[in-house]
Amino acid sequence: MEELPDIAAVASLLSSPARASMVWALIDGSRRPAGELAACADVSAQAASRHLALMLEGGLLEVQSNGRAREYRIANSEVACMIESMAALAAELAADRSLLARLPRKNSVQFQQARTCYDHFAGRFGVDLLKGMLSAGWLECKDQESEFQLTATGAEGFTEFGLDLSHARMQCRVFARPCSDITESAPHLGGALAASFLDICVNRGLVLRSRHSRTVSITPAGWEAFRRAGLFPSL
């Protein structure tokens, strides 16, 4: 019989509301010092240190020295995808959608409309973008929808956007897969392809990141580029 992965050990790392608050504060891919994470979790510096040590040991986080400061971030995209998926499930199971109710009022509409999930697009925009890629034949479902297959049409389309597909394929992660979305009832695109696409959109000025949150804004040039590519045919 195949040995059971130690799911319980991973789950126990997020069983604490304080630790869950810390990783959720890092879901945008940012690096934050322990003091800031302690404030996010509403715990003392000493308690935060213990929580962070557990998550470092468990592989959920990594730490980097920045001068005298130590800054923490989510260890990799697989961890981030797990956290986003768990958050989506938690919101789905909560009858009163309490997770969404706790979103800041001024950001809730934009948060649901367009944001990042670690290093790729999420929210309504991310979901519609994936639907557009599937409809335009850029991607096809593979392996019972656990992964997506890039088509020749998709390879041409992404290359026209300026994306380096060979670099994306060299990353040590799944190339293209569905990722659960916390505010939508459908997945958005995750994996190395999605991360590279976000990067190229930001670098080309098609998308603007918020400096203080996970939200993003699509520029007029961005909407025009997506329209020309056939990813949003209704535009």
Side-chain angles (χ1 to χ4, degrees):
M1 181 176 178
E2 186 176 339
E3 184 178 354
L4 176 69
D6 198 353
I7 298 171
V10 177
S12 68
L13 292 172
L14 294 176
S15 63
S16 161
R19 292 196 289 274
S21 296
M22 289 178 178
V23 295
W24 192 244
L26 296 169
I27 197 66
D28 59 353
S30 62
R31 297 180 183 271
R32 299 175 187 265
E36 187 174 336
L37 293 172
C40 290
D42 195 23
V43 296
S44 68
Q46 185 177 12
S49 180
R50 292 195 299 269
H51 288 306
L52 290 168
L54 284 172
M55 290 191 286
L56 281 172
E57 183 180 358
L60 295 189
L61 300 182
E62 65 178 22
V63 63
Q64 178 177 328
S65 296
N66 184 10
R68 292 185 176 181
R70 284 162 56 86
E71 296 179 331
Y72 297 84
R73 66 168 295 166
I74 291 174
N76 53 52
S77 60
E78 283 69 29
V79 172
C81 188
M82 175 195 68
I83 293 166
E84 182 87 5
S85 297
M86 291 178 71
L89 177 61
E92 182 178 335
L93 294 177
D96 60 355
R97 304 288 286 182
S98 59
L99 184 60
L100 295 184
R102 292 199 299 271
L103 294 174
R105 289 180 179 272
K106 65 179 180 180
N107 291 333
S108 59
V109 174
Q110 181 62 20
F111 183 89
Q112 294 178 60
Q113 178 61 36
R115 65 180 187 277
T116 57
C117 167
Y118 190 61
D119 59 1
H120 51 269
F121 287 117
R124 190 170 300 117
F125 173 78
V127 168
D128 288 345
L129 180 64
L130 174 57
K131 289 179 180 178
M133 290 177 177
L134 290 168
S135 178
W138 287 27
L139 299 171
E140 294 177 345
C141 293
K142 170 187 174 184
D143 296 338
Q144 297 181 344
E145 300 187 359
S146 62
E147 291 185 36
F148 294 117
Q149 178 72 48
L150 178 66
T151 66
T153 300
E156 181 179 348
F158 282 115
T159 300
E160 288 182 359
F161 262 88
L163 194 150
D164 185 346
L165 289 172
S166 61
H167 175 74
R169 291 188 184 279
M170 290 173 60
Q171 298 182 39
C172 297
R173 59 192 291 191
V174 175
F175 182 67
R177 68 178 176 190
C179 183
S180 299
D181 195 282
I182 190 174
T183 58
E184 303 298 309
S185 58
H188 54 252
L189 179 64
L193 179 63
S196 296
F197 190 65
L198 171 61
D199 285 344
I200 199 67
C201 288
V202 171
N203 292 339
R204 288 184 55 193
L206 307 181
V207 173
L208 301 177
R209 286 181 179 271
S210 169
R211 301 180 65 179
H212 305 291
S213 74
R214 297 169 55 194
T215 61
V216 297
S217 299
I218 317 303
T219 66
W223 285 121
E224 177 61 19
F226 296 135
R227 184 196 64 77
R228 288 199 311 268
L231 299 179
F232 289 83
S234 60
L235 290 177

